[in-house]
Amino acid sequence: MDASSQGLLRQLRDRLPELPEAQRAVVQVILDDPRAAAGATVEQLARAAFVSMPTIVRTCRSFGHDSVREFMLALAQDLAVSGSYLHRSVLADDSAQDVASKITQAAVASLADLGRRIDPAVIDRVADKLAQAQRIDCYSVGAASTFMAGELQSRLFRLGRPANAIFDAHQQLVSASTLGPQGVAFVISHVGRMPYTLEAARFARAQGTTVIALTQPDTPLAEIADLLIAVSVPQDAVMRVGTEAYLAHLVVIEILMVRLAQKLGPQVAHGLQQFKQLLHRHGFDSAEYSGVRDSREGLHGDS
């Protein structure tokens, strides 16, 4: 097939099922994130696809390109012409099935990469700090990070840890001035460069507070933090903080809270079970609550 007769991305997708297993793995990595693949080295692609570097060369040649460099140039040109600005893996003429499959596969690949990159030693150190802290204040700014900070505070609260979620710039500074050496400032910002949150983080650290950051590596926030939980996901085509960043942050919080619960002991797990039973019986969505409400409405109607 002449590479000029059809876009390279279309060729990759159409020929994927017929390729040898190793080459299919390479092409799948490229289709999952073509923009990242276009800027990757042969070694990086080989590692991502779990194949040898010669397999990368053979894959490029099977699509009519004499070298990896020529292949990547064609990929970059195709992205410039036909790449979607809605999602890095979606093409303009993709069907609904294609869109659903590609976005799901991209999210799964992103989380799998997170699982390979996450540092268990850092998770343990953070969990230790959270277990020992007299107070944990969660700082954030922006819709995505604010959601995450609220989720973290709620999970810490359920584990019996004294925690607050603080979104206001002035309140973050007040918090930073009062946490002290026994406190933790847990700062969540995927972008990692919001000025007033950075100021609060610096001030908290100056007071001896442990600053924990959930952010991308190599950001100003990452440099300030005593402990860094680094999250790297492919850049979203539309949003500054995309769905894959949401998912990655939620998974990190889940990992961290489970590890913290282990460190706090079996009584915490027992308490969580009690909370679940209590909400099941008395929550707004419980059968008992519905029965009480219905009976009250009946009495009101009779009167």
Side-chain angles (χ1 to χ4, degrees):
M1 181 181 293
D2 184 358
S4 64
S5 67
Q6 188 181 26
L8 180 55
L9 285 167
R10 175 63 66 183
Q11 292 183 57
L12 295 173
R13 185 173 63 182
D14 289 349
R15 290 185 52 197
L16 180 64
E18 68 189 47
L19 293 171
E21 183 178 356
Q23 292 188 25
R24 190 163 63 246
V26 175
V27 170
Q28 189 62 65
V29 166
I30 295 171
L31 289 175
D32 283 344
D33 193 349
R35 295 186 187 279
T41 65
V42 175
E43 184 180 3
Q44 288 170 334
L45 281 177
R47 187 165 58 247
F50 298 98
V51 299
S52 66
M53 288 191 282
T55 299
I56 304 296
V57 177
R58 286 194 293 271
T59 303
C60 296
R61 287 176 178 171
S62 71
F63 285 88
H65 298 278
D66 294 333
S67 66
V68 176
R69 180 182 178 85
E70 182 182 308
F71 178 93
M72 291 305 175
L73 179 60
L75 178 60
Q77 290 173 339
D78 196 27
L79 283 169
V81 173
S82 61
S84 171
Y85 290 96
L86 298 176
H87 190 275
R88 68 179 190 280
S89 303
V90 176
L91 302 178
D93 58 348
D94 278 343
S95 66
Q97 182 177 352
D98 291 334
V99 171
S101 176
K102 286 184 175 184
I103 291 177
T104 302
Q105 289 176 6
V108 169
S110 181
L111 291 179
D113 185 63
L114 173 69
R116 290 190 293 268
R117 292 173 179 270
I118 200 163
D119 188 340
V122 171
I123 293 295
D124 261 349
R125 291 175 64 194
V126 171
D128 286 335
K129 288 292 184 181
L130 297 179
Q132 299 162 7
Q134 290 184 355
R135 194 177 91 217
I136 306 160
D137 287 353
C138 308
Y139 302 165
S140 67
V141 61
S145 296
T146 293
F147 172 81
M148 295 302 162
E151 176 68 13
L152 176 60
Q153 185 274 335
S154 176
R155 297 289 297 273
L156 288 167
F157 183 72
R158 286 168 63 87
L159 292 176
R161 299 276 69 219
N164 305 293
I166 304 175
F167 319 128
D168 178 80
H170 294 159
Q171 290 297 320
Q172 287 180 5
L173 285 174
V174 172
S175 162
S177 69
T178 59
L179 277 169
Q182 302 305 313
V184 166
F186 199 121
V187 189
I188 302 178
S189 172
H190 186 65
V191 176
R193 58 185 73 253
M194 300 303 190
Y196 73 72
T197 300
L198 293 176
E199 183 181 6
R202 290 191 188 97
F203 192 72
R205 189 170 180 182
Q207 309 306 306
T209 302
T210 299
V211 175
I212 299 170
L214 177 55
T215 186
Q216 298 177 91
D218 302 319
T219 61
L221 177 57
E223 295 174 2
I224 293 171
D226 295 293
L227 292 170
L228 168 65
I229 305 176
V231 172
S232 297
V233 296
Q235 187 174 358
D236 191 89
V238 177
M239 296 181 290
R240 205 172 185 197
V241 182
T243 301
E244 289 175 28
Y246 268 92
L247 294 174
H249 283 204
L250 284 172
V251 168
V252 167
I253 289 172
E254 176 73 9
I255 293 169
L256 188 55
M257 292 302 99
V258 170
R259 191 62 180 134
L260 174 59
Q262 288 178 319
K263 289 180 178 293
L264 292 174
Q267 71 277 6
V268 169
H270 179 67
L272 291 174
Q273 291 174 348
Q274 288 184 317
F275 293 151
K276 184 175 181 180
Q277 293 170 1
L278 180 66
L279 292 173
H280 179 72
R281 293 187 59 187
H282 301 288
F284 290 136
D285 57 349
S286 67
E288 286 80 356
Y289 179 83
S290 298
V292 170
R293 185 188 60 189
D294 292 343
S295 65
R296 287 177 178 174
E297 290 177 351
L299 289 172
H300 181 72
D302 291 341
S303 62

